[in-house]
Amino acid sequence: MKDKLEQILKEFRSGLETLSQQPQILKYKSDALGKNGQLSQILKSLKDLSNEERKVVGPLANKIKEEMNQLVASKLKEIEVQEINQKLEQNKIDITDRMVNRSNSLCHGGLHPTSLIQREIEDIFISMGFEVLDGPHIEDDYHNFEALNIPSDHPARDMQDTFWFQTEDGVRKFLLRTHTSTIQVRGMKDRKPPFRFIAPGKVFRCERTDASHEMVFHQLEGMMVGEDISIGHLIYFMKTVLKEIFKKEVEVRLRPGFFPFVEPGFELDIRCLICGGKGCSVCKQTGWVELLPCGMVHPRVLEAGGIDPQKYNGYAFGLGLDRLVMMRYGIDDIRHLHSADLRFISQFKDF
Ligand code: PHE
């Protein structure tokens, strides 16, 4: 009897190995363990055995039944795992497929030429110890004008055509910043001299557009405050930056310029890099291109920034980024930069 039981288990095991479908296996199990199965027959005939035999055969038969159940359970598990793996294999997504097969038709993004130049300039200034600051596009009257020594009745307010936000009481409080100089006072308040920072970003003017004017354009503000700062420092830093960008020595000149927040104020011009100074349409036949309004920070502005003008001084400048982009790439109309025309924009892809 014992041998018979062992034999049943052996046959059951090898029969099971030949099966691979769940329904077949379930049927195989119920046949083997069901009422008419060999094992049930043996269990039924236990009553005919002697007590001694029953003590051995009974537990053994149950043990074998248990083992058969386990064999089936692990076989079913094995099949389930196989099926999952098969499905995963069939549904596999090759994420490189499109790139490899259709790279010609794929449209890659790229950086706008203004962003390219901005990043380059940021890197150069950072290498010279400047911080890079950011500020809000929607500004208040105080940071755009008041703190920059432009009180409400000052005629210089007209120099910058401003987009104001409407308020219920009609009082002008908020505006789209007309220049990045708004960051001068914000930056000074958080710092103790000596410090130097730049602040690039969009500015907005309510102006008629033409080849050299846009309503939205980019400036890069710069400021350096400490003891005994002079315009010579400014010229040195600017020449270094321009030399890096244009990969050649750049000739500069200073002319007096008026801005209420600097005293004295200047316009820094560079020798036209397109014609080398001979005269062309970019420099309007003068040989010089106006690039950088700048000057020594006005004592009242230092005070507004919480800095003692008796002890410290500094310079500030407002670089026109779009103009620099135009010079660098020989673009003759600023409106191209905002046109979102892909034929124009895709020429500057950096990859
Ligand atoms: N904010 C001035 C403008 O937009 C430029 C400027 C900046 C001039 C800093 C002097 C110093 O016209």
Side-chain angles (χ1 to χ4, degrees):
M1 196 64 96
K2 225 176 124 191
D3 290 346
K4 184 134 192 249
L5 283 170
E6 301 284 358
Q7 184 66 22
I8 290 174
L9 181 62
K10 208 172 147 206
E11 278 170 17
F12 182 80
R13 186 181 280 131
S14 54
L16 189 63
E17 266 163 25
T18 63
L19 304 176
S20 59
Q21 306 289 321
Q22 196 203 42
Q24 286 173 336
I25 292 168
L26 291 176
K27 171 143 195 325
Y28 182 72
K29 177 187 162 190
S30 66
D31 285 350
L33 296 175
K35 266 192 220 139
N36 302 321
Q38 277 177 302
L39 198 66
S40 301
Q41 302 299 331
I42 290 178
L43 286 170
K44 260 187 225 159
S45 64
L46 281 182
K47 60 180 181 333
D48 306 328
L49 300 178
S50 68
N51 266 355
E52 290 299 299
E53 270 185 313
R54 203 182 302 144
K55 268 193 196 151
V56 181
V57 176
L60 183 63
N62 280 329
K63 201 176 141 228
I64 284 187
K65 188 175 177 184
E66 177 68 12
E67 202 158 320
M68 284 157 86
N69 272 320
Q70 261 171 24
L71 282 172
V72 170
S74 61
K75 179 80 182 183
L76 288 173
K77 185 88 213 152
E78 194 182 299
I79 288 175
E80 194 187 348
V81 172
Q82 258 172 21
E83 276 173 8
I84 292 176
N85 284 341
Q86 234 168 34
K87 271 192 197 143
L88 284 176
E89 188 62 31
Q90 279 161 6
N91 298 336
K92 204 159 88 177
I93 298 170
D94 181 358
I95 53 164
T96 60
D97 186 44
R98 251 172 86 83
M99 298 293 278
V100 174
N101 299 332
R102 287 182 245 163
S103 57
N104 287 342
S105 60
L106 250 194
C107 182
H108 297 279
L111 287 175
H112 190 280
T114 312
S115 305
L116 289 172
I117 290 269
Q118 182 181 318
R119 288 182 183 202
E120 230 176 276
I121 298 180
E122 279 176 17
D123 283 348
I124 301 168
F125 273 110
I126 288 169
S127 76
M128 298 191 296
F130 283 71
E131 284 175 80
V132 181
L133 306 189
D134 199 5
H137 289 169
I138 299 176
E139 260 295 2
D140 49 27
D141 182 280
Y142 177 76
H143 288 95
N144 200 85
F145 293 123
E146 203 72 39
L148 292 171
N149 194 29
I150 318 176
S152 58
D153 54 356
H154 199 291
R157 287 206 174 200
D158 297 339
M159 282 164 67
Q160 303 186 348
D161 299 297
T162 310
F163 284 111
W164 289 95
F165 285 87
Q166 266 181 351
T167 47
E168 273 173 21
D169 55 8
V171 179
R172 290 172 156 185
K173 285 187 193 132
F174 296 104
L175 49 90
L176 286 174
R177 69 176 179 195
T178 58
H179 52 182
T180 44
S181 300
T182 50
I183 301 164
Q184 288 191 13
V185 169
R186 289 186 182 278
M188 280 191 280
K189 280 215 167 123
D190 299 339
R191 282 167 183 76
K192 286 209 171 356
F195 56 78
R196 47 184 107 161
F197 60 75
I198 54 165
K202 281 195 174 75
V203 297
F204 309 83
R205 304 248 177 119
C206 183
E207 280 183 335
R208 189 182 287 274
T209 59
D210 62 31
S212 48
H213 294 92
E214 257 289 14
M215 282 194 268
V216 182
F217 54 101
H218 298 80
Q219 287 187 336
L220 186 135
E221 196 77 9
M223 195 170 207
M224 179 166 176
V225 174
E227 285 176 50
D228 297 325
I229 303 289
S230 77
I231 208 72
H233 290 102
L234 170 68
I235 293 176
Y236 165 77
F237 282 113
M238 273 339 286
K239 278 189 109 170
T240 310
V241 171
L242 294 170
K243 194 171 143 195
E244 287 271 335
I245 292 174
F246 292 105
K247 308 280 178 254
K248 57 178 156 186
E249 206 67 52
V250 183
E251 210 183 318
V252 303
R253 73 173 185 193
L254 281 181
R255 287 178 294 120
F258 172 71
F259 305 94
F261 34 95
V262 285
E263 180 56 41
F266 304 100
E267 291 281 359
L268 185 142
D269 299 339
I270 58 170
R271 187 62 95 184
C272 181
L273 294 159
I274 307 280
C275 64
K278 287 193 210 84
C280 68
S281 63
V282 173
C283 60
K284 299 193 187 94
Q285 312 305 330
T286 64
W288 292 93
V289 177
E290 202 179 301
L291 188 76
L292 192 80
C294 55
M296 300 305 293
V297 184
H298 196 288
R300 278 201 209 121
V301 178
L302 287 171
E303 268 168 12
I307 288 168
D308 180 2
Q310 304 291 334
K311 199 162 170 214
Y312 300 106
N313 67 347
Y315 69 70
F317 62 85
L319 182 65
L321 271 186
D322 310 73
R323 184 160 300 174
L324 211 57
V325 177
M326 292 165 76
M327 292 279 289
R328 162 83 164 261
Y329 295 110
I331 302 166
D332 56 3
D333 193 323
I334 191 171
R335 289 169 294 193
H336 286 309
L337 293 173
H338 283 259
S339 64
D341 184 339
L342 287 177
R343 288 169 306 175
F344 169 77
I345 266 340
S346 57
Q347 297 175 63
F348 302 95
K349 276 184 190 164
D350 55 336
F351 56 87

